[in-house]
Amino acid sequence: MTRKTTAYTRRRAQGTTRPLSDGITMTRMHNTRLSPAEYNRIMDPCRAALAAFRSARATCQQWRVLCTAVHVARAIEDGGVYRGQIEIIEDARTALEAISERMGNSPDTWRPSACYAPEITALADLVAAHARQLAELTYGEYTAAADKAVARVKSVRGQVIDFEMSTT
């Protein structure tokens, strides 16, 4: 009999099955810390956004990058992997809301202006706290927290920034 009878064998014959990974590869992917390239991919947009807010030239996209960092940092905090940053995260969220009220929250209504000193301090503290979180997380923990943050934002119909695709 030459006919493939199960769904798996039909997919395998067509080449549409996903490649199997050995245990060492899966362990390395999910139980190791973020590589320097992964860490910088996440933190570089945050640092650039903070620098733009300090110089009063921030864009709506950079505001969204910091909002995304708040959501991911909150998901990391809720996951229990790295605790003790909630006050910093909430201060940054409050500062970002105040900035949004003054400057706008969409590219059409965005008007860059200077931030107040407590807002800049809150944003700088957020970037430092998020950097500490990322230095302690494994890749698996970060992806789980990022997925949780994306789900939370999408559930209230918010916009999500993908650090892989974002440009600063």
PDB file of all heavy atoms in Angstrom, residues 91-119:
ATOM      1  N   ASP A  91       5.053  54.113  38.378  1.00  0.00           N
ATOM      2  CA  ASP A  91       5.441  55.514  38.198  1.00  0.00           C
ATOM      3  C   ASP A  91       5.656  55.829  36.716  1.00  0.00           C
ATOM      4  O   ASP A  91       5.243  56.893  36.227  1.00  0.00           O
ATOM      5  CB  ASP A  91       6.712  55.835  38.983  1.00  0.00           C
ATOM      6  CG  ASP A  91       6.477  55.892  40.475  1.00  0.00           C
ATOM      7  OD1 ASP A  91       5.301  55.958  40.903  1.00  0.00           O
ATOM      8  OD2 ASP A  91       7.483  55.863  41.226  1.00  0.00           O
ATOM      9  N   ALA A  92       6.290  54.915  36.002  1.00  0.00           N
ATOM     10  CA  ALA A  92       6.519  55.118  34.571  1.00  0.00           C
ATOM     11  C   ALA A  92       5.200  55.106  33.804  1.00  0.00           C
ATOM     12  O   ALA A  92       4.997  55.909  32.885  1.00  0.00           O
ATOM     13  CB  ALA A  92       7.453  54.047  34.033  1.00  0.00           C
ATOM     14  N   ARG A  93       4.288  54.218  34.176  1.00  0.00           N
ATOM     15  CA  ARG A  93       2.983  54.164  33.508  1.00  0.00           C
ATOM     16  C   ARG A  93       2.227  55.474  33.725  1.00  0.00           C
ATOM     17  O   ARG A  93       1.655  56.036  32.784  1.00  0.00           O
ATOM     18  CB  ARG A  93       2.162  52.989  34.038  1.00  0.00           C
ATOM     19  CG  ARG A  93       0.836  52.793  33.303  1.00  0.00           C
ATOM     20  CD  ARG A  93      -0.021  51.736  33.968  1.00  0.00           C
ATOM     21  NE  ARG A  93      -0.319  52.037  35.356  1.00  0.00           N
ATOM     22  CZ  ARG A  93      -1.219  52.929  35.767  1.00  0.00           C
ATOM     23  NH1 ARG A  93      -1.881  53.652  34.881  1.00  0.00           N
ATOM     24  NH2 ARG A  93      -1.444  53.130  37.047  1.00  0.00           N
ATOM     25  N   THR A  94       2.281  55.998  34.934  1.00  0.00           N
ATOM     26  CA  THR A  94       1.634  57.272  35.239  1.00  0.00           C
ATOM     27  C   THR A  94       2.273  58.411  34.440  1.00  0.00           C
ATOM     28  O   THR A  94       1.566  59.271  33.889  1.00  0.00           O
ATOM     29  CB  THR A  94       1.736  57.566  36.746  1.00  0.00           C
ATOM     30  OG1 THR A  94       1.154  56.475  37.464  1.00  0.00           O
ATOM     31  CG2 THR A  94       1.032  58.851  37.106  1.00  0.00           C
ATOM     32  N   ALA A  95       3.596  58.412  34.344  1.00  0.00           N
ATOM     33  CA  ALA A  95       4.292  59.439  33.568  1.00  0.00           C
ATOM     34  C   ALA A  95       3.932  59.344  32.090  1.00  0.00           C
ATOM     35  O   ALA A  95       3.704  60.367  31.434  1.00  0.00           O
ATOM     36  CB  ALA A  95       5.803  59.305  33.750  1.00  0.00           C
ATOM     37  N   LEU A  96       3.853  58.131  31.561  1.00  0.00           N
ATOM     38  CA  LEU A  96       3.506  57.964  30.145  1.00  0.00           C
ATOM     39  C   LEU A  96       2.067  58.405  29.870  1.00  0.00           C
ATOM     40  O   LEU A  96       1.780  58.956  28.803  1.00  0.00           O
ATOM     41  CB  LEU A  96       3.730  56.517  29.709  1.00  0.00           C
ATOM     42  CG  LEU A  96       5.192  56.121  29.553  1.00  0.00           C
ATOM     43  CD1 LEU A  96       5.349  54.612  29.439  1.00  0.00           C
ATOM     44  CD2 LEU A  96       5.807  56.815  28.339  1.00  0.00           C
ATOM     45  N   GLU A  97       1.170  58.185  30.821  1.00  0.00           N
ATOM     46  CA  GLU A  97      -0.206  58.666  30.657  1.00  0.00           C
ATOM     47  C   GLU A  97      -0.251  60.194  30.645  1.00  0.00           C
ATOM     48  O   GLU A  97      -0.976  60.791  29.841  1.00  0.00           O
ATOM     49  CB  GLU A  97      -1.095  58.110  31.764  1.00  0.00           C
ATOM     50  CG  GLU A  97      -1.416  56.649  31.603  1.00  0.00           C
ATOM     51  CD  GLU A  97      -2.229  56.090  32.754  1.00  0.00           C
ATOM     52  OE1 GLU A  97      -2.576  56.858  33.695  1.00  0.00           O
ATOM     53  OE2 GLU A  97      -2.503  54.883  32.727  1.00  0.00           O
ATOM     54  N   ALA A  98       0.524  60.814  31.524  1.00  0.00           N
ATOM     55  CA  ALA A  98       0.565  62.283  31.563  1.00  0.00           C
ATOM     56  C   ALA A  98       1.168  62.838  30.274  1.00  0.00           C
ATOM     57  O   ALA A  98       0.682  63.841  29.729  1.00  0.00           O
ATOM     58  CB  ALA A  98       1.364  62.751  32.775  1.00  0.00           C
ATOM     59  N   ILE A  99       2.214  62.185  29.785  1.00  0.00           N
ATOM     60  CA  ILE A  99       2.829  62.609  28.518  1.00  0.00           C
ATOM     61  C   ILE A  99       1.827  62.471  27.385  1.00  0.00           C
ATOM     62  O   ILE A  99       1.712  63.353  26.525  1.00  0.00           O
ATOM     63  CB  ILE A  99       4.104  61.791  28.252  1.00  0.00           C
ATOM     64  CG1 ILE A  99       5.201  62.196  29.248  1.00  0.00           C
ATOM     65  CG2 ILE A  99       4.586  61.955  26.816  1.00  0.00           C
ATOM     66  CD1 ILE A  99       6.392  61.269  29.255  1.00  0.00           C
ATOM     67  N   SER A 100       1.078  61.385  27.386  1.00  0.00           N
ATOM     68  CA  SER A 100       0.080  61.157  26.342  1.00  0.00           C
ATOM     69  C   SER A 100      -1.006  62.231  26.362  1.00  0.00           C
ATOM     70  O   SER A 100      -1.466  62.671  25.306  1.00  0.00           O
ATOM     71  CB  SER A 100      -0.552  59.777  26.531  1.00  0.00           C
ATOM     72  OG  SER A 100      -1.653  59.609  25.694  1.00  0.00           O
ATOM     73  N   GLU A 101      -1.416  62.648  27.547  1.00  0.00           N
ATOM     74  CA  GLU A 101      -2.443  63.693  27.639  1.00  0.00           C
ATOM     75  C   GLU A 101      -1.952  65.023  27.081  1.00  0.00           C
ATOM     76  O   GLU A 101      -2.715  65.770  26.479  1.00  0.00           O
ATOM     77  CB  GLU A 101      -2.883  63.864  29.091  1.00  0.00           C
ATOM     78  CG  GLU A 101      -3.703  62.707  29.604  1.00  0.00           C
ATOM     79  CD  GLU A 101      -4.036  62.839  31.080  1.00  0.00           C
ATOM     80  OE1 GLU A 101      -3.810  63.930  31.654  1.00  0.00           O
ATOM     81  OE2 GLU A 101      -4.512  61.849  31.649  1.00  0.00           O
ATOM     82  N   ARG A 102      -0.663  65.320  27.262  1.00  0.00           N
ATOM     83  CA  ARG A 102      -0.110  66.577  26.760  1.00  0.00           C
ATOM     84  C   ARG A 102       0.260  66.516  25.288  1.00  0.00           C
ATOM     85  O   ARG A 102       0.051  67.464  24.550  1.00  0.00           O
ATOM     86  CB  ARG A 102       1.145  66.956  27.558  1.00  0.00           C
ATOM     87  CG  ARG A 102       0.900  67.678  28.817  1.00  0.00           C
ATOM     88  CD  ARG A 102       2.154  68.348  29.351  1.00  0.00           C
ATOM     89  NE  ARG A 102       3.399  67.645  29.111  1.00  0.00           N
ATOM     90  CZ  ARG A 102       3.920  66.695  29.888  1.00  0.00           C
ATOM     91  NH1 ARG A 102       3.268  66.322  30.968  1.00  0.00           N
ATOM     92  NH2 ARG A 102       5.067  66.134  29.614  1.00  0.00           N
ATOM     93  N   MET A 103       0.860  65.409  24.869  1.00  0.00           N
ATOM     94  CA  MET A 103       1.431  65.331  23.528  1.00  0.00           C
ATOM     95  C   MET A 103       0.558  64.592  22.523  1.00  0.00           C
ATOM     96  O   MET A 103       0.771  64.713  21.329  1.00  0.00           O
ATOM     97  CB  MET A 103       2.807  64.656  23.589  1.00  0.00           C
ATOM     98  CG  MET A 103       3.818  65.428  24.386  1.00  0.00           C
ATOM     99  SD  MET A 103       5.407  64.609  24.301  1.00  0.00           S
ATOM    100  CE  MET A 103       6.252  65.331  25.671  1.00  0.00           C
ATOM    101  N   GLY A 104      -0.369  63.802  22.982  1.00  0.00           N
ATOM    102  CA  GLY A 104      -1.221  63.010  22.096  1.00  0.00           C
ATOM    103  C   GLY A 104      -0.833  61.545  22.169  1.00  0.00           C
ATOM    104  O   GLY A 104       0.197  61.179  22.717  1.00  0.00           O
ATOM    105  N   ASN A 105      -1.692  60.686  21.608  1.00  0.00           N
ATOM    106  CA  ASN A 105      -1.377  59.264  21.642  1.00  0.00           C
ATOM    107  C   ASN A 105      -1.513  58.587  20.287  1.00  0.00           C
ATOM    108  O   ASN A 105      -1.576  57.367  20.197  1.00  0.00           O
ATOM    109  CB  ASN A 105      -2.229  58.536  22.686  1.00  0.00           C
ATOM    110  CG  ASN A 105      -3.710  58.676  22.420  1.00  0.00           C
ATOM    111  OD1 ASN A 105      -4.120  59.266  21.443  1.00  0.00           O
ATOM    112  ND2 ASN A 105      -4.502  58.144  23.320  1.00  0.00           N
ATOM    113  N   SER A 106      -1.565  59.380  19.245  1.00  0.00           N
ATOM    114  CA  SER A 106      -1.557  58.825  17.888  1.00  0.00           C
ATOM    115  C   SER A 106      -0.626  59.689  17.038  1.00  0.00           C
ATOM    116  O   SER A 106      -0.395  60.858  17.357  1.00  0.00           O
ATOM    117  CB  SER A 106      -2.969  58.800  17.297  1.00  0.00           C
ATOM    118  OG  SER A 106      -3.398  60.112  17.010  1.00  0.00           O
ATOM    119  N   PRO A 107      -0.103  59.136  15.968  1.00  0.00           N
ATOM    120  CA  PRO A 107       0.809  59.930  15.133  1.00  0.00           C
ATOM    121  C   PRO A 107       0.174  61.210  14.587  1.00  0.00           C
ATOM    122  O   PRO A 107       0.864  62.199  14.370  1.00  0.00           O
ATOM    123  CB  PRO A 107       1.180  58.972  14.006  1.00  0.00           C
ATOM    124  CG  PRO A 107       0.984  57.610  14.585  1.00  0.00           C
ATOM    125  CD  PRO A 107      -0.177  57.740  15.536  1.00  0.00           C
ATOM    126  N   ASP A 108      -1.142  61.196  14.396  1.00  0.00           N
ATOM    127  CA  ASP A 108      -1.812  62.376  13.854  1.00  0.00           C
ATOM    128  C   ASP A 108      -1.896  63.525  14.861  1.00  0.00           C
ATOM    129  O   ASP A 108      -1.833  64.686  14.487  1.00  0.00           O
ATOM    130  CB  ASP A 108      -3.233  62.009  13.404  1.00  0.00           C
ATOM    131  CG  ASP A 108      -3.226  60.970  12.303  1.00  0.00           C
ATOM    132  OD1 ASP A 108      -2.204  60.870  11.587  1.00  0.00           O
ATOM    133  OD2 ASP A 108      -4.238  60.248  12.170  1.00  0.00           O
ATOM    134  N   THR A 109      -2.047  63.174  16.128  1.00  0.00           N
ATOM    135  CA  THR A 109      -2.230  64.208  17.147  1.00  0.00           C
ATOM    136  C   THR A 109      -0.975  64.474  17.964  1.00  0.00           C
ATOM    137  O   THR A 109      -0.996  65.315  18.857  1.00  0.00           O
ATOM    138  CB  THR A 109      -3.358  63.798  18.121  1.00  0.00           C
ATOM    139  OG1 THR A 109      -2.991  62.575  18.772  1.00  0.00           O
ATOM    140  CG2 THR A 109      -4.675  63.622  17.389  1.00  0.00           C
ATOM    141  N   TRP A 110       0.099  63.793  17.683  1.00  0.00           N
ATOM    142  CA  TRP A 110       1.328  63.896  18.489  1.00  0.00           C
ATOM    143  C   TRP A 110       2.000  65.248  18.279  1.00  0.00           C
ATOM    144  O   TRP A 110       2.248  65.667  17.155  1.00  0.00           O
ATOM    145  CB  TRP A 110       2.289  62.775  18.125  1.00  0.00           C
ATOM    146  CG  TRP A 110       3.493  62.730  19.014  1.00  0.00           C
ATOM    147  CD1 TRP A 110       4.714  63.258  18.763  1.00  0.00           C
ATOM    148  CD2 TRP A 110       3.583  62.131  20.300  1.00  0.00           C
ATOM    149  NE1 TRP A 110       5.564  63.031  19.811  1.00  0.00           N
ATOM    150  CE2 TRP A 110       4.887  62.340  20.772  1.00  0.00           C
ATOM    151  CE3 TRP A 110       2.690  61.453  21.112  1.00  0.00           C
ATOM    152  CZ2 TRP A 110       5.318  61.878  22.014  1.00  0.00           C
ATOM    153  CZ3 TRP A 110       3.122  60.997  22.336  1.00  0.00           C
ATOM    154  CH2 TRP A 110       4.429  61.208  22.768  1.00  0.00           C
ATOM    155  N   ARG A 111       2.302  65.928  19.370  1.00  0.00           N
ATOM    156  CA  ARG A 111       3.021  67.194  19.357  1.00  0.00           C
ATOM    157  C   ARG A 111       4.172  67.081  20.351  1.00  0.00           C
ATOM    158  O   ARG A 111       3.960  67.168  21.562  1.00  0.00           O
ATOM    159  CB  ARG A 111       2.125  68.355  19.785  1.00  0.00           C
ATOM    160  CG  ARG A 111       0.884  68.535  18.955  1.00  0.00           C
ATOM    161  CD  ARG A 111       1.197  69.194  17.618  1.00  0.00           C
ATOM    162  NE  ARG A 111      -0.013  69.465  16.879  1.00  0.00           N
ATOM    163  CZ  ARG A 111      -0.506  68.664  15.941  1.00  0.00           C
ATOM    164  NH1 ARG A 111       0.103  67.544  15.657  1.00  0.00           N
ATOM    165  NH2 ARG A 111      -1.600  68.985  15.292  1.00  0.00           N
ATOM    166  N   PRO A 112       5.409  66.884  19.893  1.00  0.00           N
ATOM    167  CA  PRO A 112       6.513  66.735  20.839  1.00  0.00           C
ATOM    168  C   PRO A 112       6.739  68.015  21.639  1.00  0.00           C
ATOM    169  O   PRO A 112       6.623  69.116  21.114  1.00  0.00           O
ATOM    170  CB  PRO A 112       7.724  66.431  19.963  1.00  0.00           C
ATOM    171  CG  PRO A 112       7.289  66.561  18.567  1.00  0.00           C
ATOM    172  CD  PRO A 112       5.822  66.783  18.519  1.00  0.00           C
ATOM    173  N   SER A 113       7.022  67.815  22.896  1.00  0.00           N
ATOM    174  CA  SER A 113       7.353  68.944  23.765  1.00  0.00           C
ATOM    175  C   SER A 113       8.230  68.417  24.900  1.00  0.00           C
ATOM    176  O   SER A 113       8.463  67.225  25.011  1.00  0.00           O
ATOM    177  CB  SER A 113       6.089  69.605  24.316  1.00  0.00           C
ATOM    178  OG  SER A 113       5.436  68.743  25.206  1.00  0.00           O
ATOM    179  N   ALA A 114       8.681  69.323  25.727  1.00  0.00           N
ATOM    180  CA  ALA A 114       9.552  68.938  26.841  1.00  0.00           C
ATOM    181  C   ALA A 114       8.749  68.218  27.918  1.00  0.00           C
ATOM    182  O   ALA A 114       7.574  68.487  28.124  1.00  0.00           O
ATOM    183  CB  ALA A 114      10.220  70.170  27.424  1.00  0.00           C
ATOM    184  N   CYS A 115       9.416  67.296  28.588  1.00  0.00           N
ATOM    185  CA  CYS A 115       8.810  66.563  29.700  1.00  0.00           C
ATOM    186  C   CYS A 115       9.263  67.195  31.008  1.00  0.00           C
ATOM    187  O   CYS A 115      10.302  67.849  31.079  1.00  0.00           O
ATOM    188  CB  CYS A 115       9.237  65.092  29.670  1.00  0.00           C
ATOM    189  SG  CYS A 115       8.606  64.187  28.266  1.00  0.00           S
ATOM    190  N   TYR A 116       8.483  66.966  32.034  1.00  0.00           N
ATOM    191  CA  TYR A 116       8.851  67.444  33.361  1.00  0.00           C
ATOM    192  C   TYR A 116       9.911  66.519  33.956  1.00  0.00           C
ATOM    193  O   TYR A 116      10.023  65.346  33.589  1.00  0.00           O
ATOM    194  CB  TYR A 116       7.625  67.498  34.261  1.00  0.00           C
ATOM    195  CG  TYR A 116       6.563  68.446  33.752  1.00  0.00           C
ATOM    196  CD1 TYR A 116       5.324  67.973  33.355  1.00  0.00           C
ATOM    197  CD2 TYR A 116       6.817  69.808  33.665  1.00  0.00           C
ATOM    198  CE1 TYR A 116       4.354  68.838  32.882  1.00  0.00           C
ATOM    199  CE2 TYR A 116       5.851  70.678  33.195  1.00  0.00           C
ATOM    200  CZ  TYR A 116       4.620  70.178  32.798  1.00  0.00           C
ATOM    201  OH  TYR A 116       3.674  71.044  32.326  1.00  0.00           O
ATOM    202  N   ALA A 117      10.681  67.039  34.896  1.00  0.00           N
ATOM    203  CA  ALA A 117      11.773  66.275  35.501  1.00  0.00           C
ATOM    204  C   ALA A 117      11.300  64.970  36.153  1.00  0.00           C
ATOM    205  O   ALA A 117      11.937  63.928  35.962  1.00  0.00           O
ATOM    206  CB  ALA A 117      12.522  67.137  36.510  1.00  0.00           C
ATOM    207  N   PRO A 118      10.194  64.953  36.894  1.00  0.00           N
ATOM    208  CA  PRO A 118       9.750  63.679  37.481  1.00  0.00           C
ATOM    209  C   PRO A 118       9.382  62.639  36.413  1.00  0.00           C
ATOM    210  O   PRO A 118       9.563  61.433  36.624  1.00  0.00           O
ATOM    211  CB  PRO A 118       8.527  64.055  38.318  1.00  0.00           C
ATOM    212  CG  PRO A 118       8.690  65.503  38.614  1.00  0.00           C
ATOM    213  CD  PRO A 118       9.401  66.078  37.427  1.00  0.00           C
ATOM    214  N   GLU A 119       8.870  63.105  35.272  1.00  0.00           N
ATOM    215  CA  GLU A 119       8.542  62.165  34.185  1.00  0.00           C
ATOM    216  C   GLU A 119       9.803  61.559  33.599  1.00  0.00           C
ATOM    217  O   GLU A 119       9.867  60.341  33.366  1.00  0.00           O
ATOM    218  CB  GLU A 119       7.734  62.886  33.101  1.00  0.00           C
ATOM    219  CG  GLU A 119       6.369  63.330  33.552  1.00  0.00           C
ATOM    220  CD  GLU A 119       5.684  64.240  32.561  1.00  0.00           C
ATOM    221  OE1 GLU A 119       6.359  64.789  31.652  1.00  0.00           O
ATOM    222  OE2 GLU A 119       4.460  64.404  32.695  1.00  0.00           O
TER     223      GLU A 119
END
